[in-house]
Amino acid sequence: MNIVFMGTPDFAVASLKKLYEAGHTISAVFTKVDMPRGRKMILTPPEVKVCAQELGLKVFQPATLKDAEVVDTIKGLNPDVIVVVAYGKLLPEDVLNIPPLGCINVHGSLLPSYRGAAPIQWTVLNGDKVGGVTTMYMGKGLDTGDIILKYETEVGENETAGELFDRLAESGADLLLETLELLEKGEAPRIPQDESLATYASMLSKDMCIIDWSKSADEVHNLVRGLNPWPVALTTLNGKRIKIISTRKSDKSGKAGQVISTNPLTVACGSGAVEILTLQSEGKKAMDSKSFLMGHKLDSNDYFV
């Protein structure tokens, strides 16, 4: 099958690799332009571009797909199908109409739940017990197309968004291969989404990082998990900002934000408490709580705020 692949971040790399390993013809890879990253704002290529170049594939990085020359380029590649995995751009109708077998998307949620930019993170932030991935036909709307296949998986109580992200990237790649096999046989189903069940997963921002210790242990723990590895939950201790990287729930209780134990380091929430496993002080490297406590003498008079 002749495929044009469109994707940008590391979530899409597993799909690109497995398509290549399965022997599909990938006539071109479209990805976003290189962007400055890190404190030094070094111009960095997307993970998909790096992978595509390692595989010897042709790479295009148009600023927009609405340009007539770009549309003509895609037409000239004569794809049977366009595969889209976390590309980060909506496909215009001129592009959607090019491949005879359609444009297929791999999305990191069980649609119609969590349409949009950060479905995996919101699965964890909301404390969902089950997550998954969906393949679907693409249409004009944002993740509104007919569903082809779904894969469901349990979400671990302490699983971070990053860990679930990595698992679903692999599962999504496997589901994509299964989807293309059905598509090639003319046996792929088309299941319309129930609009009444649709929810949206907005982009994450640093504004949502501050921990509100008056909330329940479940909510605090889910915030920490859901913001790991980025943008990471934040709190303040003795006037200094601290990143809270990993936690687990505790049966203990106390006043919200109070340090109620140092073995292990446990902080009370509005109801229940959380043990802090890994944290990072300003200007320091991340460390486990035992190492942190060697340099910080804390007791029940100390509060995280």
Side-chain angles (χ1 to χ4, degrees), residues 35 127 294:
M35 295 291 288
M294 290 176 66

Side-chain angles (χ1 to χ4, degrees), residues 101-175:
L101 295 179
C103 298
I104 305 302
N105 180 235
V106 178
H107 186 73
S109 77
L110 299 172
L111 290 171
S113 295
Y114 301 128
R115 296 172 176 173
I120 297 171
Q121 292 92 331
W122 282 103
T123 297
V124 178
L125 285 165
N126 288 334
D128 293 356
K129 306 299 184 187
V130 176
V133 66
T134 303
T135 55
M136 65 173 180
Y137 293 97
M138 296 184 71
K140 293 180 184 179
L142 178 63
D143 301 324
T144 57
D146 291 345
I147 291 167
I148 304 173
L149 296 176
K150 286 186 181 183
Y151 165 80
E152 291 189 10
T153 184
E154 290 186 9
V155 180
E157 181 181 321
N158 297 312
E159 189 169 20
T160 66
E163 290 165 343
L164 182 60
F165 188 97
D166 291 342
R167 285 206 296 121
L168 291 183
E170 294 294 328
S171 300
D174 292 335
L175 197 70

Side-chain angles (χ1 to χ4, degrees), residues 246-268:
S246 63
T247 56
R248 65 183 169 212
K249 290 184 288 185
S250 168
D251 293 332
K252 295 177 181 178
S253 60
K255 295 180 181 179
Q258 182 183 27
V259 175
I260 53 178
S261 174
T262 56
N263 187 25
L265 177 57
T266 306
V267 181

Side-chain angles (χ1 to χ4, degrees), residues 166-230:
D166 291 342
R167 285 206 296 121
L168 291 183
E170 294 294 328
S171 300
D174 292 335
L175 197 70
L176 173 61
L177 292 181
E178 188 180 346
T179 297
L180 292 178
E181 188 176 331
L182 292 174
L183 202 65
E184 201 166 17
K185 293 177 181 177
E187 298 174 1
R190 295 192 76 119
I191 305 166
Q193 295 189 42
D194 185 342
E195 290 296 322
S196 69
L197 300 177
T199 58
Y200 289 86
S202 59
M203 293 179 68
L204 301 185
S205 72
K206 293 186 177 181
D207 295 339
M208 60 192 293
C209 293
I210 305 300
I211 297 172
D212 180 353
W213 293 101
S214 69
K215 292 190 174 182
S216 69
D218 280 335
E219 290 172 292
V220 171
H221 180 55
N222 292 340
L223 182 75
V224 172
R225 298 192 299 134
L227 299 184
N228 179 340
W230 188 90

Side-chain angles (χ1 to χ4, degrees), residues 1 16 26 34 40 46 65 69 73 86 96 108 112 133 165 187 193 222 231 245 247 252 258 260 273 279 284 286:
M1 193 180 290
L16 179 58
I26 303 171
D34 298 0
K40 295 184 178 179
L65 295 179
E69 286 187 18
T73 297
L96 290 171
V133 66
F165 188 97
E187 298 174 1
Q193 295 189 42
N222 292 340
I245 297 169
T247 56
K252 295 177 181 178
Q258 182 183 27
I260 53 178
L279 65 169
K284 305 289 185 180

